[in-house]
Amino acid sequence: MIMLSRHKGWALFALVLIGIAVAAAVLLRPRPVLVDLGRAETGSLAVTVEEEAHTRIRNLFTVSAPVSGRVLRTPVRVGDTVAEGETVLATILPTPSGLVDERTRSELLAALTAADAATDLARHEIGGREAEVRFAESELERKQSLSGRNVLSREALEEAETRVRTAQHALEAAQAELEVRRSRRTEIAARLEEPSGSEQPDRKVHVKAPVSGEVLRILQESESIVPAGAPLVEVGDLGDLEVVADLLSTDAVQVEVGAPARIVDWGGAPLDARVAEVEPIAFPKISALGIEELRARVVLDIKAAPGTWQRLGHGYRVTAQILLWEADSVLKVPVASLFREGEDWAVFVVQAGRAAVRKVAIGRMNEDEAQVLEGLEPGDRVVLYPSDRVTDGARLAERAGG
């Protein structure tokens, strides 16, 4: 009986030791690393560039004094609506001709010759603009015919319509410029035709609006003596606004004319827009961090109905979002899952509860997602924001709520 009791005692002691060993192994075993998980999936991906921009009137006119003299206090105010050729912007009492000496007369003759040449140039410009309008309208008719037969895309038709409107605006601007040149030429000729020594203190020169629109800025508000050519008033049509964004040249080279865009952060709902022009010359600009950058100007046409942005004015700050690339069915992963493995991109893939390093080939990328060209399959789970605790082979557990 004594021997049997001893054997039972040793067996119980052995069981206790085994239990302690198992408990120690469990307690000392590394705990799984808590991580957030994402998933590789197929879907649409868009890459855009976002930049601060500003609005501007396409054709801004600075009205200047056609003759030297005393300009009276301006009868208009900023924001007033003006009519082309009707609204008086300023009234000038010209300097009497008796004060015009031979030297000034010679200068006026030269100015008259230059005004004639400028008038002829403006006429030729109108001829060229009319030809552009006719060509753009013929292209639009042709594309409308093709669109009716479902041969042409809607984007191509909209681009043709934009070209017609742009050509028409350019023609109107050239016609207004011709009127300005003619007015300038008439004033110079009138000064030369007056008999030398005659004084006509009651004669007034009324400077009228070259285009219909609104008064944007008054450069000479109070009564004063001004020389010929002194700027007086700025006018323009606020219904003919465009948006200008200065993009980094590395972004500008990816922008296509006609690409869709959006105008945001202007004080209202996002506005649809389209790239009208990418200027071919870059210019240096100092960033907020004091770094000199090369930037190129991109011009956008607002495509939204005018009633939705009628409170926008000239020089207002906005943000432009321009589409660089878009695809409907691509394999993508969250950007937060990517990290560098030497010269390659890599992710941690979850396999049987453990992390496995997987090198991937990445294509296009935006702020949130990246296109996967090689290395992953749809449905693969990947670790987001991997810390230094996540290593190849490490045990993982998904964080609650992930």
Side-chain angles (χ1 to χ4, degrees):
M1 292 294 295
I2 297 175
M3 290 295 296
L4 181 59
S5 299
R6 287 182 179 178
H7 284 302
K8 287 183 178 180
W10 282 109
L12 181 61
F13 181 69
L15 288 175
V16 171
L17 288 179
I18 293 172
I20 293 173
V22 171
V26 171
L27 292 174
L28 295 177
R29 182 182 181 184
R31 293 184 178 181
V33 180
L34 295 179
V35 294
D36 295 315
L37 298 180
R39 193 176 296 274
E41 58 185 5
T42 301
S44 61
L45 182 65
V47 180
T48 61
V49 60
E50 181 173 296
E51 189 62 61
E52 284 191 7
H54 66 275
T55 59
R56 74 177 181 189
I57 294 176
R58 283 189 179 86
N59 300 300
L60 183 65
F61 290 86
T62 300
V63 180
S64 302
V67 295
S68 300
R70 182 161 58 92
V71 61
L72 303 182
R73 188 174 181 85
T74 179
V76 295
R77 295 290 179 267
V78 173
D80 285 356
T81 301
V82 297
E84 178 182 354
E86 297 180 7
T87 306
V88 175
L89 301 178
T91 299
I92 300 176
L93 302 178
T95 302
S97 298
L99 299 180
V100 178
D101 54 21
E102 290 301 319
R103 176 179 177 181
T104 304
R105 184 170 297 278
S106 298
E107 292 175 349
L108 288 174
L109 287 171
L112 183 63
T113 302
D116 287 334
T119 302
D120 291 338
L121 180 62
R123 289 197 191 97
H124 290 302
E125 179 71 13
I126 289 177
R129 295 301 183 185
E130 288 174 341
E132 290 178 0
V133 170
R134 289 194 296 270
F135 177 77
E137 288 175 343
S138 65
E139 282 291 298
L140 177 58
E141 291 177 359
R142 184 176 66 84
K143 291 185 177 181
Q144 284 174 336
S145 176
L146 294 175
S147 179
R149 299 197 301 268
N150 294 324
V151 177
L152 194 68
S153 66
R154 180 61 186 171
E155 289 75 10
L157 181 60
E158 290 180 353
E159 183 178 350
E161 292 172 347
T162 299
R163 288 178 179 173
V164 170
R165 288 194 296 270
T166 302
Q168 289 173 341
H169 285 309
L171 175 59
E172 293 171 1
Q175 291 171 339
E177 183 67 21
L178 177 59
E179 292 303 318
V180 173
R181 298 296 184 184
R182 283 175 174 170
S183 175
R184 173 64 177 158
R185 196 259 178 214
T186 300
E187 295 300 332
I188 295 174
R191 293 181 62 188
L192 286 170
E193 289 172 1
E194 293 174 1
S196 179
S198 66
E199 295 189 5
Q200 298 177 338
D202 295 333
R203 179 174 178 265
K204 297 179 181 180
V205 176
H206 297 293
V207 182
K208 298 182 179 181
V211 293
S212 297
E214 295 185 25
V215 177
L216 302 176
R217 189 160 61 135
I218 297 177
L219 305 171
Q220 182 61 52
E221 183 173 0
S222 301
E223 183 174 326
S224 179
I225 301 297
V226 297
L232 303 176
V233 181
E234 284 185 356
V235 297
D237 182 7
L238 286 175
D240 189 24
L241 282 180
E242 60 186 8
V243 175
V244 181
D246 297 336
L247 301 186
L248 290 171
S249 59
T250 51
D251 291 331
V253 296
Q254 303 178 61
V255 176
E256 297 286 346
V257 173
R262 291 202 317 164
I263 308 302
V264 298
D265 297 338
W266 63 275
L271 304 174
D272 290 334
R274 192 167 296 276
V275 176
E277 180 185 2
V278 180
E279 295 187 356
I281 183 171
F283 56 91
K285 185 175 182 179
I286 305 300
S287 71
L289 299 177
I291 301 172
E292 184 176 87
E293 302 169 334
L294 287 177
R295 292 183 173 263
R297 190 155 290 140
V298 176
V299 182
L300 309 177
D301 286 335
I302 302 176
K303 307 298 291 185
T308 61
W309 50 269
Q310 60 184 356
R311 298 187 66 85
L312 271 177
H314 175 71
Y316 279 33
R317 177 194 171 278
V318 300
T319 299
Q321 296 176 342
I322 304 172
L323 182 66
L324 301 180
W325 179 85
E326 185 178 29
D328 293 329
S329 182
V330 297
L331 181 61
K332 58 185 181 177
V333 292
V335 170
S337 66
L338 297 173
F339 61 93
R340 282 291 188 178
E341 181 80 5
E343 297 295 324
D344 302 317
W345 286 107
V347 296
F348 281 113
V349 179
V350 180
Q351 294 180 341
R354 294 184 179 273
V357 175
R358 182 84 59 81
K359 291 185 178 181
V360 292
I362 297 299
R364 300 277 186 162
M365 182 187 305
N366 61 25
E367 293 182 354
D368 301 314
E369 298 174 315
Q371 179 189 19
V372 179
L373 302 177
E374 295 178 0
L376 291 176
E377 296 294 333
D380 285 345
R381 293 194 303 165
V382 293
V383 178
L384 303 180
Y385 311 105
S387 67
D388 55 0
R389 295 182 60 198
V390 180
T391 58
D392 193 24
R395 294 176 59 235
L396 302 176
E398 186 173 6
R399 185 175 283 111

